């Protein structure tokens, strides 16, 4: 960013701060009678100078997540509540159909001791479990990182590999395809079964479907939310046995029916 760009950025920053400055001035004028409200400065997407997040329109980013700087999120991927993806000194790339679950942290390293540049690259249809930490590593397509696992600088997880929950994978470790690694420090545990490999893709698909439901819920207006509350209150008192004795048939409103692809035990209706 050149001198002109920085000047424009600074002016924009001043304009955005004007509202809070006026609020502080008003509080001083009110003296001891003022009520000060703490305003949240959280932004789901935040740029760092010329480093701007690029999120596909079909991706889901939860309102409480933070995507900062040079971060790319692909089609159908989801970044869940409380996650932080910080691409400041390097870039983060996330493929399509990948889910980064709640409270996970993805960061980068400018370089290691040998001078190797270390962005964080996450492939397609990857599942990253809750509270995982990924730092300057590469996670290839259709892999599974368990809850609370930590992947340090230079780690490579090959396609169809799995990192067990709570594992600590040391720097520059390579986890071969079809293997499960776990422990602190992480080491080879066993080979994955065919069913477990199939589960990795299934897990990514399930989260892709679930993300669509959360995206729709987060997009609802206040009036829509209040209307659904009223419907739920009304139908919560329904007694099917009592209704059957009266010959009453009540249909559940479509607003209260989850899509078939979210309920694993519910088979799709035949057309």
């Amino acid at each position: 960013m050149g001198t002109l760009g920085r000047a424009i950025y600074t002016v924009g920053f001043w304009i955005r701060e004007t509202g809070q400055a006026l609020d502080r001035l008003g509080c001083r004028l009110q003296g001891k009678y003022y009520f000060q409200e703490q305003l949240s400065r959280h932004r789901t997407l935040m740029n760092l100078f010329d480093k701007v997040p690029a999120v596909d329109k079909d991706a889901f980013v939860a309102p409480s997540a933070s995507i900062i700087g040079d971060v790319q999120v692909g089609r159908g991927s989801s970044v869940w509540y409380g996650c932080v993806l910080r691409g400041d000194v390097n870039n983060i790339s996330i493929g399509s159909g990948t889910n980064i679950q709640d409270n996970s942290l993805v960061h980068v390293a400018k370089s290691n001791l040998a001078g190797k540049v270390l962005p964080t690259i996450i492939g397609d249809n990857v599942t990253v479990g809750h509270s995982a930490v990924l730092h300057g590593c590469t996670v290839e397509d259709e892999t599974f990182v368990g809850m609370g696992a930590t992947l340090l600088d230079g780690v490579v997880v090959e396609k169809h590999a799995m990192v067990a929950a709570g594992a600590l994978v040391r720097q520059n470790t390579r986890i071969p395809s079809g293997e499960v690694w776990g422990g602190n420090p992480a080491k080879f545990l066993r080979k994955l079964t065919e069913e477990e490999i199939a589960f990795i893709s299934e897990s990514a698909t399930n989260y892709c479907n679930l993300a669509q439901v959360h995206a729709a819920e987060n997009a609802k207006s206040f009036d829509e939310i209040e209307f659904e509350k009223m419907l739920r209150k009304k139908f919560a008192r329904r007694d099917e046995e009592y209704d059957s004795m009266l010959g009453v048939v009540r249909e559940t409103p479509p607003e209260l029916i989850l899509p078939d692809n979210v309920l694993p035990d519910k088979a799709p209706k035949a057309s």
Side-chain angles (χ1 to χ4, degrees), residues 99 101 127 144 198-208:
N99 60 90
Q101 296 176 18
T127 291
F144 189 97
F199 167 77
I200 294 175
S201 296
E202 184 181 332
S203 173
T205 301
N206 289 341
Y207 258 89
C208 187

Side-chain angles (χ1 to χ4, degrees), residues 206-226:
N206 289 341
Y207 258 89
C208 187
N209 293 332
L210 186 59
Q212 295 176 27
V213 177
H214 279 257
E217 286 294 320
N218 281 283
K220 286 179 180 177
S221 66
F222 176 78
D223 290 337
E224 289 174 318
I225 293 171
E226 289 301 308

Side-chain angles (χ1 to χ4, degrees), residues 20-30:
Q20 294 192 37
L22 291 174
D23 180 68
R24 290 192 293 269
L25 176 61
C27 290
R28 292 193 186 98
L29 294 176
Q30 289 179 325

Side-chain angles (χ1 to χ4, degrees), residues 179-201:
E179 294 186 0
V180 183
W181 284 50
N184 183 0
K187 59 183 179 180
F188 171 74
L189 298 180
R190 60 178 176 82
K191 289 285 188 178
L192 279 168
T193 64
E194 292 297 326
E195 291 78 11
E196 288 171 332
I197 292 175
F199 167 77
I200 294 175
S201 296

